[in-house]
């Protein structure tokens, strides 16, 4: 503590930071996206669109025939328009493991990641991922590429959310 004298009185001041100061933000990437976070069972709203009923499952043989050391999983969700005007766009999806290693998703069909929604309307979305052997996803990142795009969706995964390699 510093002690000083000012105009006939004693002034106490502290060199310690104020306890009510804002905490240091958690560091992110140089271009980290703003976003909302939740679990696979959450309903997430980014101010423009809402996603809910998210599920991960093993891909079927008709969707993906894995090469040696690979497996396929499919992410599905419902997207709905939370604005008062029509929204169109598409999603980019990525999985990240605990080390930040990313696997990008591919639409199961050409239009399975695209949407065109009137206010309050919903659409089903589907994205497929080809995982290398031993890859254990820890997060899903869904980025709405609508015009204008909204904040990203970050989904934290539990071990029980991830289909085992032997599930049909």
């Amino acid at each position: 503590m510093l002690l000083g004298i000012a105009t006939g009185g004693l002034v106490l001041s502290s060199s310690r930071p104020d306890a009510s100061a804002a905490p240091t933000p958690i560091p992110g990437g140089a271009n980290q996206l703003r976003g909302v976070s939740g679990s696979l069972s959450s309903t997430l709203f980014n101010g423009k669109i809402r996603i809910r009923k998210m599920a991960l499952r093993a891909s079927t043989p008709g969707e993906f025939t894995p090469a040696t050391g690979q497996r396929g999983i499919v992410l599905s969700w419902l997207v709905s328009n939370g604005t008062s005007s029509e929204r169109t766009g598409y999603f980019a999806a990525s999985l990240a493991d605990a080390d930040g290693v990313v696997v990008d998703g591919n639409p199961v069909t050409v239009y399975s990641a695209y949407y065109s929604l009137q206010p309050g309307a919903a659409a089903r979305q589907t994205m497929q991922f080809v995982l290398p052997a031993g890859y254990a996803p820890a997060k899903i990142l869904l980025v709405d590429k609508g015009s204008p795009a909204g904040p990203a969706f970050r989904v934290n995964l539990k071990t029980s959310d991830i289909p085992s390699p032997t599930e049909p």
Side-chain angles (χ1 to χ4, degrees):
M1 202 157 302
L2 300 175
L3 187 63
I5 301 177
T7 60
L10 219 42
V11 176
L12 295 175
S13 66
S14 172
S15 60
R16 292 181 300 171
D18 182 6
S20 65
T24 304
I26 297 171
N31 297 311
Q32 186 172 5
L33 299 172
R34 291 181 306 114
V36 294
S37 298
S39 66
L40 202 60
S41 61
S42 298
T43 295
L44 301 175
F45 181 60
N46 71 1
K48 298 178 191 233
I49 61 171
R50 183 173 288 106
I51 62 169
R52 59 191 171 92
K53 293 194 174 185
M54 294 174 276
L56 278 174
R57 64 172 174 79
S59 62
T60 65
E63 292 169 326
F64 175 68
T65 304
T68 302
Q70 293 181 332
R71 68 182 174 123
I73 62 171
V74 175
L75 170 67
S76 60
W77 68 95
L78 285 179
V79 58
S80 58
N81 184 351
T83 69
S84 60
S85 56
E86 181 180 5
R87 285 199 52 84
T88 59
Y90 65 96
F91 279 93
S94 300
L95 294 176
D97 70 6
D99 294 325
V101 175
V102 173
V103 172
D104 291 326
N106 299 306
V108 172
T109 63
V110 173
Y111 297 105
S112 62
Y114 293 86
Y115 64 85
S116 180
L117 301 170
Q118 294 298 320
R124 294 188 193 287
Q125 305 280 276
T126 309
M127 194 72 67
Q128 181 179 21
F129 299 87
V130 177
L131 306 181
Y135 186 85
K139 287 188 184 274
I140 299 169
L141 176 66
L142 285 171
V143 179
D144 174 23
K145 300 290 189 169
S147 180
F153 297 98
R154 289 183 181 82
V155 180
N156 301 311
L157 297 173
K158 298 179 288 192
T159 304
S160 60
D161 293 334
I162 302 157
S164 70
T166 57
E167 286 184 33

